[in-house]
Amino acid sequence: MTQNLRVKSSEFIDETNRISFKFDGKTYYGFKGDTLASALIANNVHLVGRSFKYHRPRGIMTSGSEEPNAIVQVNPNSNITEPNARATEIEIYQGLEASSQNCWPSVNFDIGAINNFLAPLFPAGFYYKTFMWPKSFWEKYEFFIRHSAGLGKSPNTRDPDIYDHRNIHCDVLVVGAGISGIIAAKNAAKNNFKTLLLDEKNEIGGSTIFEANEDNKINNNLASEWLKKEINELKNIKNLEIKTRTSVAAYHQYNYLLARENLTDHLEKKDKKNKIRQRLLKIRAKKVILATGALERPLIFNNNDRPGIMLSSAIKKYSNFYGVACGTKNIFFTNNDSAYESALSLHNKGIKVKAIIDIRENSDAKIIKKINDAGIKIYWSHTIVDTKGYKRISSISIMRLSNDGTSVTGSKISISCDCLGIAGGWTPAVHLYTQSGSKLTFDEERKIFIPKADTKEQISVGSCGGDFELDEIIRNLNYKLKNFLNIGKTDFDSIALENDHETSNRNIWLLPSDQSIGKTKPFVDYQNDATAKDIKLALREGFRSIEHVKRYTTTGMGTDQGKLGNMHALGIIADTAGVKMGELGTTTFRPPYTPLTFGTIVGRNVGEFFDTFRRTPMNDWHIKNKAEFENVGQWKRSWYYPKEDETMHQAVQRESKAARQSAGILDASTLGKIDIQGSDSSEFLNRVYTNAWSKLPIGKCRYGLMLNEDGMVYDDGVTTRLGENHYIMTTTTGGAANVLGKLEDYLQTEWPELDVYLTSVTDHFATASLCGPNSKKILNKIIPDLDLSDDNFPHMSFKEVLINKIKCRIMRISFTGELSYEINAPASYGEAIWQKCIEAGKEFDITPYGTETMHLLRAEKGFIIVGQDTDGTMTPIDLQMDWIVSKKKYDFIGKRSLYRSDTMKKNRKQLVGLLTEDPNIVLEEGAQIVSELNQKPVEMLGHVTSSYFSPNLNKSIALAVVKDGKNMKGKKLFIPMKNKNISVTVSKTIFYDEENKRINA
Amino acid sequence: MFLINCPYCGERDQQEFKAGGEAHIERPKQPTELSDDEWAEYLFMRKNIKGVQFERWNHAHGCRKWFNMARDTSNDEIKAIYKIGEKPPTQ
Ligand SMILES: [Zn+2]
């Protein structure tokens, strides 16, 4: 079967460059310029896959990105194999390997094909109807469905290729480089517009470039010859960039388009190396010209899916462009004149065309005479009622169509063939147009959706705009272009055009057969195996909306988004339901136009570049000292510092003890810091915090709680008054950016009269937090001149000092309940100051501790962590922090909400402490809390928010939010876990040093 | 992806901006004087209309300024952009 079907050398194929490739394990040869599809057809291979549901043999149908059947796995034996590639788009190269999908064990013998004979069991909605009940079985069904469906296999290692993103700005973007796109781009660029012309194919020129119809002439030349000259001239035009192998995937608002530029897929392995494989172009264009062309429609008739049944235009492209005959005994089946052009060009190349079946009664087109002269038999008013041939079409049966087109009459004629070209007319490719948000209108006469209106920023030209005849295309295009770009004369004003015109058409969405529809298989969506009878069934079952029918039957839901059959689905719905197609509307075309690989979407943002990491100035020291890190927002924070083979638990217990018994040190550089200046700074703080700020003396610190306007706790932190009109605010690590944004919002929009300036200085300072009873002694060693007595430097106060001539701010504040100092040094000196603390602390066995120990120590003191003990539903009253809410202040953000009936409700969840009956059991954070064990359904009272084993108390402690928890002190509650119920007692939230003596220890 | 004409910086890509919800909802000057219903009206109620809507936007990854936008929510057409404190356009 390695018959060579090359018929004529083609200028687009380099026959001196012979290429070997493998398909399904077998070696074949093609030429440079071939696609996998054209090379396979040249080797007489049509059967390339099995259908999704019935596993019917399927062949190559098209020559472009709309291909529904020839979906292959590239590099099937490699870890980096790629599924769902279209054979019609893959350019062959030396060493290419590809295989069929959807078949097991092989494309020629496929077990799933039994579904074809069980077809009556697989009607529309089969999966919904069968597998959704009983609900609990879904997981089991799903396994089998997924296993047998399998649209290709995923690669199982990291994609080794390089992908890139590039931003492009241009005046005019032209999508599609067929004759319309080329003329548009040439005009735009010549008129000084910076122009970008994109085409998904490797050659520009669209379908005109291989046009051989002698009746279509431009300036007395064959259209293809004329276009070649035009293309040649493009090279000399400034302002024009052309990118081939570039497919526009998405068209968003404001002329923002995403395109995939394919750079190396067509190259041999050795040439691909170290090159960018694909590039995502992010294009912002001032004006967009859509010249995306039209897609040929199939015809929907019984058994219209056999290998060897192809679009008529594809057969023409294979013969004219690739020099390949799709068959040796060809038949065409059509409802318009275009099939005659395909037939004639085969005939002129010496490829046998046996007959043309036309559902119309006649046509006056000039080409008909040529077909008659060629001796090709035309069957007018006939339709195909059936086809034969399992792995390749072998014959068709035709019958005369009734006048109304709903039935067939007379006797059946059978004609043998090995290739059938079907021509159902043309569908403008309006996918990108609709993605841009523009609306379509339905032309009832021609049965096509066309763009409703051009705008100042976007036009559709050529066949995507509904113009199909050469003269119409060029004249309309020229006219539109002049308005759109506001240009005067063009080269195309006085162009001489000659072409044949379509004289009659007849459209029947579903062609009748002599068998009842129940016994036929007229496929509408080849990729998803949806037939016309599935659609009719959906309508019988009451579905009306096109969007519902689509989902129920899965029509148009494949990787090709039903580019071929969507119009037929609509037509069949309209005919069956007795409504006009225009009233039905159409389904939404969603990006991407053709599938994109994930690599292209993420570009360079992979691995460590996926998200930005922020590291503190002391980061190197932490790494050297074997810290484990924790992600907090974008920060990498030291989590704990395990010694030798310590577990996390052991390390945290050791660190926690050391910080209370002698001295600990924490890197607190990540806390958000906002510098606040201006004469209204105090008033501003009064308005954003719940407590009062006007009377805070210079040099003093105060803890503040910030609410949302709904009264819920938003952030907290210590703010220090550095001067009369100067404060430094600290925020939580994760909340820093949001707090700054919120404060700026109020200043700009609600209180523009306030004289306040905010600057984020988080990165400007590094913070070392010294803590523990020996911290004073350590600080004294570092700054002997500073009087550290409680009188001179009391708790909640601030000093500016020089350490080794470095200006540092020291706050005596504490998040652990221990005597504690926070040293803020300019970021670039952070590591030096840290090092100094470590050295000074050596004699006290200073222990570096991470965030986990910090969390444990603060929990012992009952200090909240916003975001852990709160979740956006907790007021300060819920947190039992009434003390921080000023009663005197007239207003602050969130104040009014604290008096809403809902926030004052008695049984809101409130923060409490929990002690386990067995002090060794540590509760799980997030665990639910109940008061009754036998109640059904049991009432969930709340959940555990923080839980630790406290080494300083030698027992387990927890914080939790519990309904009406305020009034439950001493009450016994339960935490039901998988295998046990844990008894707990509600306690105060403070577990350690209730009198706060240690702060001054 | 919108192209937004920041009144301070000029045309920039939407990814530099943050949307801030409905505009022209002024924070009451005397919240304590308001009933629960009146406060809830300010706090929770938003129109979310189909058609031209006035919105707040912030050039978060640029000048950080807030400004207002009149946007048709049915087709995302930006009808006008104006500064905070300015009156919404009538057309
Ligand atoms: Zn700006």
Side-chain angles (χ1 to χ4, degrees):
Chain A
M1 277 279 278
T2 48
Q3 191 179 351
N4 193 337
L5 291 175
R6 291 282 165 188
V7 284
K8 187 175 173 270
S9 57
S10 156
E11 61 191 289
F12 304 103
I13 298 295
D14 179 3
E15 290 193 30
T16 63
N17 192 347
R18 192 160 172 263
I19 287 171
S20 82
F21 65 96
K22 271 188 184 170
F23 182 70
D24 280 340
K26 201 174 161 189
T27 301
Y28 296 96
Y29 296 93
F31 299 119
K32 186 83 198 152
D34 264 327
T35 60
L36 179 59
S38 69
L40 285 173
I41 293 171
N43 286 283
N44 205 17
V45 176
H46 276 255
L47 170 61
V48 289
R50 293 272 175 166
S51 73
F52 177 60
K53 203 155 79 180
Y54 305 125
H55 291 242
R56 281 168 71 101
R58 289 283 164 81
I60 298 156
M61 264 205 90
T62 73
S63 57
S65 60
E66 70 272 34
E67 176 62 36
N69 290 343
I71 306 295
V72 300
Q73 186 93 30
V74 179
N75 293 322
N77 303 315
S78 153
N79 289 335
I80 48 159
T81 180
E82 184 177 354
N84 302 330
R86 288 160 298 281
T88 50
E89 289 196 304
I90 300 167
E91 294 174 48
I92 61 165
Y93 52 85
Q94 207 72 41
L96 167 70
E97 283 186 48
S99 69
S100 314
Q101 290 183 181
N102 277 354
C103 51
W104 186 83
S106 81
V107 70
N108 276 297
F109 175 74
D110 177 53
I111 282 177
I114 194 144
N115 286 359
N116 188 25
F117 304 104
L118 299 176
L121 299 177
F122 285 88
F126 172 72
Y127 293 111
Y128 296 115
K129 285 170 185 159
T130 312
F131 295 121
M132 294 316 280
W133 190 92
K135 229 175 176 176
S136 57
F137 269 49
W138 171 246
E139 278 179 31
K140 290 192 180 77
Y141 291 140
E142 196 187 16
F143 175 81
F144 286 104
I145 294 171
R146 299 234 182 273
H147 213 68
S148 64
L151 280 170
K153 55 179 184 191
S154 311
N156 55 19
T157 57
R158 188 182 157 151
D159 190 338
D161 290 321
I162 310 167
Y163 300 87
D164 198 22
H165 287 182
R166 180 180 287 175
N167 287 298
I168 295 182
H169 294 263
C170 61
D171 295 326
V172 177
L173 171 70
V174 183
V175 186
I179 188 166
S180 307
I182 287 169
I183 292 175
K186 190 179 175 191
N187 263 320
K190 275 193 151 180
N191 283 283
N192 292 322
F193 292 95
K194 189 185 163 204
T195 306
L196 178 62
L197 174 63
L198 305 180
D199 198 277
E200 61 180 2
K201 300 249 164 33
N202 59 337
E203 295 269 358
I204 64 170
S207 60
T208 312
I209 201 77
F210 55 86
E211 186 61 67
N213 187 346
E214 282 163 13
D215 294 327
N216 287 354
K217 284 190 171 153
I218 303 176
N219 288 343
N220 300 316
N221 287 309
L222 209 58
S224 51
E225 295 305 320
W226 177 86
L227 186 59
K228 277 172 207 163
K229 267 187 250 159
E230 287 291 307
I231 291 172
N232 222 10
E233 281 176 32
L234 293 179
K235 278 180 241 142
N236 307 321
I237 299 177
K238 274 186 230 157
N239 295 324
L240 176 62
E241 189 180 359
I242 303 172
K243 283 184 183 291
T244 54
R245 300 187 177 97
T246 301
S247 158
V248 175
Y251 187 167
H252 297 294
Q253 297 123 331
Y254 295 87
N255 280 350
Y256 183 71
L257 297 92
L258 299 174
R260 179 207 52 210
E261 185 181 16
N262 207 336
L263 297 160
T264 63
D265 277 0
H266 59 291
L267 301 179
E268 273 178 57
K269 253 177 210 137
K270 65 177 169 56
D271 298 327
K272 291 186 207 280
K273 235 184 170 168
N274 299 327
K275 284 186 186 146
I276 294 164
R277 180 189 173 201
Q278 293 182 352
R279 185 180 277 140
L280 188 71
L281 307 178
K282 302 168 171 182
I283 308 165
R284 184 76 77 173
K286 291 206 177 92
K287 286 170 182 280
V288 172
I289 299 174
L290 292 172
T292 47
L295 300 173
E296 187 164 41
R297 293 177 184 172
L299 289 165
I300 311 302
F301 55 95
N302 184 21
N303 286 321
N304 60 344
D305 67 325
R306 301 194 186 282
I309 299 182
M310 305 174 70
L311 294 180
S312 151
S313 59
I315 293 175
K316 181 161 103 178
K317 177 155 189 184
Y318 285 116
S319 91
N320 289 9
F321 190 91
Y322 299 106
V324 172
C326 293
T328 53
K329 294 180 287 177
N330 297 281
I331 296 177
F332 287 89
F333 182 28
T334 186
N335 67 3
N336 67 86
D337 291 340
S338 68
Y340 292 81
E341 286 184 32
S342 301
L344 193 64
S345 69
L346 292 196
H347 176 82
N348 289 342
K349 289 192 173 57
I351 308 167
K352 180 150 186 69
V353 178
K354 290 183 74 175
I356 297 176
I357 322 298
D358 197 323
I359 68 169
R360 300 175 298 175
E361 279 162 27
N362 59 54
S363 165
D364 304 332
K366 284 186 225 159
I367 199 163
I368 306 294
K369 191 180 171 300
K370 293 185 181 167
I371 291 289
N372 285 328
D373 293 346
I376 299 169
K377 169 104 175 115
I378 305 171
Y379 292 88
W380 298 106
S381 292
H382 272 71
T383 186
I384 297 180
V385 294
D386 200 1
T387 65
K388 289 210 162 48
Y390 186 56
K391 290 177 193 166
R392 176 79 178 264
I393 188 167
S394 59
S395 73
I396 59 168
S397 302
I398 63 171
M399 287 177 81
R400 179 165 284 280
L401 257 179
S402 66
N403 286 341
D404 65 0
T406 60
S407 59
V408 284
T409 58
S411 55
K412 219 188 275 189
I413 306 166
S414 182
I415 313 170
S416 69
C417 63
D418 60 1
C419 180
L420 174 67
I422 51 178
W426 300 85
T427 298
V430 292
H431 308 71
L432 293 177
Y433 171 84
T434 57
Q435 277 182 24
S436 76
S438 305
K439 297 277 176 284
L440 295 169
T441 183
F442 189 68
D443 181 337
E444 288 283 352
E445 173 64 28
R446 297 192 292 163
K447 304 285 181 214
I448 51 173
F449 279 103
I450 48 174
K452 200 168 194 170
D454 292 330
T455 68
K456 271 189 276 180
E457 289 83 29
Q458 177 208 89
I459 55 171
S460 297
V461 300
S463 52
C464 74
D467 294 334
F468 296 134
E469 314 265 4
L470 184 64
D471 52 351
E472 197 177 77
I473 287 173
I474 294 181
R475 291 211 175 93
N476 281 344
L477 160 62
N478 195 36
Y479 172 79
K480 275 189 177 183
L481 218 52
K482 286 166 137 182
N483 280 331
F484 186 59
L485 301 178
N486 196 18
I487 50 180
K489 259 172 71 84
T490 78
D491 298 348
F492 307 93
D493 286 341
S494 52
I495 197 164
L497 299 164
E498 246 178 76
N499 54 276
D500 212 358
H501 285 98
E502 183 94 32
T503 54
S504 71
N505 67 50
R506 183 178 195 188
N507 195 70
I508 301 171
W509 294 116
L510 171 59
L511 291 154
S513 167
D514 57 330
Q515 300 177 62
S516 70
I517 182 160
K519 293 194 173 141
T520 63
K521 285 222 176 66
F523 286 92
V524 175
D525 181 328
Y526 297 85
Q527 196 173 97
N528 270 350
D529 263 359
T531 66
K533 70 186 168 186
D534 293 325
I535 293 170
K536 284 181 176 264
L537 176 68
L539 289 164
R540 268 210 313 283
E541 293 186 357
F543 290 91
R544 283 296 173 271
S545 154
I546 172 69
E547 294 286 357
H548 292 157
V549 174
K550 168 180 159 176
R551 280 159 185 77
Y552 193 58
T553 62
T554 72
T555 304
M557 288 174 70
T559 60
D560 61 341
Q561 292 192 37
K563 289 188 180 80
L564 295 188
N566 271 344
M567 287 302 291
H568 305 79
L570 279 174
I572 291 165
I573 294 168
D575 287 351
T576 310
V579 296
K580 284 191 167 171
M581 275 181 80
E583 291 161 12
L584 268 181
T586 175
T587 56
T588 317
F589 301 111
R590 293 196 171 81
Y593 178 69
T594 47
L596 285 179
T597 181
F598 281 110
T600 310
I601 296 167
V602 296
R604 306 258 176 181
N605 303 319
V606 289
E608 61 178 314
F609 300 113
F610 179 69
D611 197 10
T612 320
F613 285 129
R614 299 173 78 183
R615 296 180 184 276
T616 73
M618 291 81 113
N619 189 64
D620 288 351
W621 190 94
H622 301 323
I623 292 173
K624 238 178 275 161
N625 288 273
K626 310 266 180 332
E628 290 291 328
F629 287 88
E630 174 184 33
N631 294 336
V632 183
Q634 288 178 321
W635 288 101
K636 289 274 179 201
R637 291 197 74 177
S638 306
W639 194 8
Y640 59 97
Y641 299 82
K643 276 190 176 169
E644 279 115 39
D645 46 5
E646 264 183 346
T647 63
M648 176 174 174
H649 177 73
Q650 289 165 339
V652 170
Q653 297 286 306
R654 170 180 54 75
E655 290 171 12
S656 301
K657 266 195 209 161
R660 293 222 188 275
Q661 285 169 5
S662 176
I665 184 167
L666 170 85
D667 180 356
S669 308
T670 63
L671 284 185
K673 302 176 226 19
I674 300 170
D675 186 88
I676 303 173
Q677 301 196 38
S679 57
D680 293 317
S681 298
S682 303
E683 170 61 16
F684 178 66
L685 290 173
N686 265 333
R687 294 186 191 187
V688 301
Y689 277 133
T690 59
N691 46 347
W693 289 80
S694 318
K695 288 182 189 143
L696 182 71
I698 294 169
K700 294 286 179 188
C701 317
R702 181 166 287 171
Y703 173 76
L705 197 61
M706 201 181 282
L707 309 185
N708 255 332
E709 205 67 273
D710 62 6
M712 304 304 154
V713 170
Y714 182 70
D715 204 78
D716 68 347
V718 170
T719 294
T720 303
R721 188 165 199 172
L722 302 173
E724 179 61 28
N725 297 320
H726 191 188
Y727 291 83
I728 179 110
M729 171 190 278
T730 59
T731 72
T732 57
T733 297
N738 289 336
V739 170
L740 179 70
K742 180 183 158 99
L743 299 184
E744 282 179 332
D745 186 354
Y746 275 92
L747 273 180
Q748 286 181 38
T749 66
E750 298 293 352
W751 309 320
E753 73 280 5
L754 292 186
D755 176 41
V756 176
Y757 305 90
L758 306 176
T759 310
S760 168
V761 294
T762 304
D763 295 322
H764 300 207
F765 293 95
T767 308
S769 178
L770 271 177
C771 131
N774 285 322
S775 57
K776 191 180 275 183
K777 289 178 203 151
I778 296 169
L779 192 62
N780 186 48
K781 280 177 74 182
I782 300 168
I783 328 164
D785 316 347
L786 183 64
D787 176 2
L788 293 176
S789 68
D790 288 349
D791 288 339
N792 184 56
F793 197 177
H795 182 57
M796 297 306 269
S797 65
F798 146 84
K799 296 281 176 214
E800 193 160 68
V801 298
L802 289 176
I803 303 176
N804 280 18
K805 296 185 194 163
I806 302 163
K807 207 195 260 180
C808 295
R809 291 171 177 170
I810 302 180
M811 280 82 167
R812 184 174 161 189
I813 53 178
S814 176
F815 192 40
T816 60
E818 295 297 319
L819 173 68
S820 177
Y821 299 92
E822 280 191 3
I823 308 170
N824 290 275
S828 44
Y829 295 104
E831 194 175 359
I833 296 291
W834 176 273
Q835 197 69 51
K836 219 170 162 49
C837 293
I838 297 283
E839 269 154 34
K842 245 178 204 157
E843 64 177 287
F844 305 100
D845 204 15
I846 192 169
T847 301
Y849 67 91
T851 50
E852 192 62 22
T853 291
M854 173 187 81
H855 286 179
L856 190 159
L857 294 174
R858 66 84 209 181
E860 289 179 336
K861 289 295 294 177
F863 295 148
I864 60 156
I865 290 185
V866 174
Q868 178 164 344
D869 302 300
T870 73
D871 60 1
T873 66
M874 303 295 286
T875 69
I877 319 299
D878 297 337
L879 293 170
Q880 308 216 41
M881 291 172 76
D882 312 42
W883 54 272
I884 202 171
V885 181
S886 163
K887 302 270 185 310
K888 288 189 203 134
K889 279 200 294 182
Y890 178 70
D891 191 14
F892 55 82
I893 296 172
K895 171 165 178 160
R896 176 61 187 82
S897 290
L898 298 179
Y899 303 94
R900 287 179 59 239
S901 55
D902 185 56
T903 41
M904 298 214 304
K905 242 179 7 197
K906 279 261 160 3
N907 66 341
R908 288 178 61 84
K909 284 182 187 167
Q910 289 139 1
L911 188 76
V912 296
L914 293 182
L915 292 170
T916 48
E917 199 165 83
D918 176 348
N920 289 315
I921 295 180
V922 180
L923 300 173
E924 274 187 35
E925 287 174 0
Q928 294 291 315
I929 301 164
V930 303
S931 63
E932 298 286 336
L933 283 172
N934 298 318
Q935 190 187 14
K936 276 184 185 176
V938 65
E939 190 192 3
M940 301 294 181
L941 295 177
H943 67 275
V944 178
T945 59
S946 298
S947 172
Y948 305 91
F949 187 82
S950 160
N952 298 304
L953 295 158
N954 203 26
K955 65 177 180 187
S956 149
I957 56 166
L959 295 172
V961 291
V962 177
K963 265 188 200 165
D964 202 27
K966 245 181 225 181
N967 298 317
M968 283 192 181
K969 219 150 286 165
K971 197 176 152 94
K972 209 171 145 187
L973 297 172
F974 304 97
I975 316 278
M977 298 302 287
K978 204 171 181 185
N979 301 315
K980 58 184 174 193
N981 295 307
I982 304 167
S983 302
V984 295
T985 310
V986 179
S987 71
K988 288 183 186 171
T989 53
I990 179 163
F991 302 98
Y992 186 79
D993 182 28
E994 223 174 292
E995 300 80 27
N996 290 325
K997 283 186 183 152
R998 302 190 60 89
I999 273 175
N1000 294 314
Chain B
M1 195 77 85
F2 303 168
L3 188 64
I4 297 173
N5 194 1
C6 170
Y8 306 94
C9 307
E11 283 189 336
R12 300 296 166 92
D13 195 273
Q14 185 186 343
Q15 63 182 348
E16 294 184 15
F17 296 84
K18 199 175 93 179
E22 193 179 329
H24 304 298
I25 299 175
E26 199 184 340
R27 188 175 189 272
K29 289 273 180 294
Q30 299 175 312
T32 42
E33 313 291 310
L34 301 182
S35 68
D36 266 13
D37 283 353
E38 287 166 328
W39 179 247
E41 183 67 30
Y42 158 71
L43 195 56
F44 301 122
M45 296 307 174
R46 297 297 182 267
K47 291 197 202 86
N48 193 25
I49 45 174
K50 183 177 179 182
V52 178
Q53 174 166 286
F54 301 110
E55 300 172 334
R56 288 151 30 86
W57 282 76
N58 180 229
H59 194 185
H61 299 285
C63 63
R64 295 190 67 82
K65 286 279 200 183
W66 284 89
F67 57 89
N68 292 323
M69 178 191 290
R71 179 176 67 101
D72 189 331
T73 57
S74 67
N75 59 9
D76 283 330
E77 191 187 333
I78 298 171
K79 300 279 190 187
I81 282 175
Y82 52 103
K83 292 180 183 174
I84 293 292
E86 289 177 0
K87 289 238 168 354
T90 46
Q91 288 298 312

